[in-house]
Amino acid sequence: MDLAANLEQVRRRIAAACERAGREPASVTLLAVSKGQPPEVVRAAADLGLTLFGENKVQEARAKIPLCPGRLRWHLVGHLQTNKARDAVQWFEMIQSVDSLRLAEELQKQAERAARTVPVLLEVNVAGEASKFGYRPEQLLAELPALNALPRLEIRGLMTLAPWTPEPEKVRPVFRRLRELKTECEQRLGAPLEHLSMGMSGDFEVAIEEGATLVRLGTALFGPRPVRSAPAGAPVSH
Ligand SMILES: *Cc1c(COP(=O)(O)O)cnc(C)c1O
């Protein structure tokens, strides 16, 4: 794996997608998804100037983060169980995967206990895939007032995982729908939302063209993840 070359290539592709969409490259933040990668790889990425990292499992993050440079910032991008909310609040700057009021209430409780506010994104299952977590759009709009009433959570935007496809153009409507949904949420909240976290290694350019502010890239930077068996019944993550 040539991380420096991959990073340069990714930066070029981000810049080109921004150019096509008439956006500033600085309006897109690259989040390096380091799940499955050891601390040495994170350190190498940090040495190349990456500062924002994502993990999808609290347990893996707790073991890894203390072995990585302390200046790095970490986002949780994978499904969070309520019984891990306390650790999530301890280890992550932002939680991108809030997908129920019950989870949000538990995060509120743990944030209160930790005397901090927690920036969150609300995860939306735009395509309604059974294998994925996230709010259905109607359900999100219904719960938005209750979510917004939790004083220790700051709703910063929306996150989605598009269905896997070899043809990223096919998932453009998913990204567009998330952007429209963000506008609907902003109208209901009467306040702007900063982030649209959408786009992974296979589809980030289309996501940027549709307004992504955070792209979450794993394999495009680090190459294929070391193979590990997923727990039985776990949704497949790409
Ligand atoms: C693994 C993962 C990514 C990165 O996936 P790649 O296809 O390797 O870029 C992004 N977001 C989430 C939520 C993930 O679990």
Side-chain angles (χ1 to χ4, degrees):
M1 178 210 6
D2 185 344
L3 184 52
N6 291 351
L7 178 59
E8 196 188 311
Q9 169 89 340
V10 158
R11 290 218 164 107
R12 239 186 284 123
R13 289 169 64 187
I14 290 174
C18 284
E19 171 97 36
R20 287 194 293 280
R23 301 181 56 195
E24 288 295 325
S27 68
V28 178
T29 299
L30 170 57
L31 179 144
V33 179
S34 51
K35 67 184 185 200
Q37 303 291 349
E40 306 83 80
V41 171
V42 174
R43 276 199 292 273
D47 287 344
L48 292 169
L50 288 169
T51 54
L52 185 61
F53 290 82
E55 287 286 332
N56 71 333
K57 293 198 183 84
V58 173
Q59 217 150 344
E60 182 177 339
R62 286 176 49 159
K64 189 185 301 182
I65 294 174
L67 304 176
C68 295
R71 64 195 157 82
L72 304 183
R73 296 153 49 213
W74 296 86
H75 286 192
L76 180 66
V77 299
H79 179 65
L80 178 59
Q81 290 167 303
T82 50
N83 63 2
K84 302 224 171 72
R86 187 178 190 164
D87 280 335
V89 165
Q90 178 179 351
W91 290 103
F92 292 99
E93 172 191 280
M94 184 187 279
I95 294 170
Q96 295 203 5
S97 46
V98 171
D99 58 5
S100 72
L101 184 56
R102 185 164 159 266
L103 172 60
E105 286 170 343
E106 186 60 26
L107 287 169
Q108 159 69 27
K109 196 166 110 192
Q110 297 303 334
E112 186 77 46
R113 173 178 284 178
R116 64 169 288 207
T117 54
V118 181
V120 300
L121 303 183
L122 305 174
E123 180 174 354
V124 188
N125 186 352
V126 175
E129 288 177 283
S131 64
K132 288 209 170 79
F133 291 105
Y135 275 110
R136 295 303 190 90
E138 331 69 68
Q139 191 193 355
L140 170 67
L141 293 171
E143 288 196 359
L144 193 60
L147 292 164
N148 191 45
L150 300 170
R152 295 245 176 212
L153 298 199
E154 291 174 356
I155 302 173
R156 291 284 179 80
L158 305 181
M159 184 271 249
T160 199
L161 278 91
W164 188 86
T165 164
E167 292 170 73
E169 198 54 48
K170 287 207 170 133
V171 290
R172 186 180 292 276
V174 170
F175 297 138
R176 190 167 293 172
R177 180 72 188 107
L178 195 73
R179 186 183 68 208
E180 292 165 358
L181 200 57
K182 177 161 101 68
T183 305
E184 277 178 72
C185 290
E186 288 171 334
Q187 283 162 356
R188 292 184 187 213
L189 295 172
L193 294 173
E194 185 183 354
H195 284 303
L196 273 177
S197 174
M198 56 190 196
M200 316 199 327
S201 294
D203 56 21
F204 69 95
E205 288 146 306
V206 175
I208 289 169
E209 289 168 16
E210 294 301 326
T213 63
L214 272 169
V215 291
R216 309 179 309 265
L217 305 188
T219 49
L221 291 170
F222 303 120
R225 280 176 280 279
V227 180
R228 289 184 317 159
S229 53
V236 177
S237 67
H238 296 293

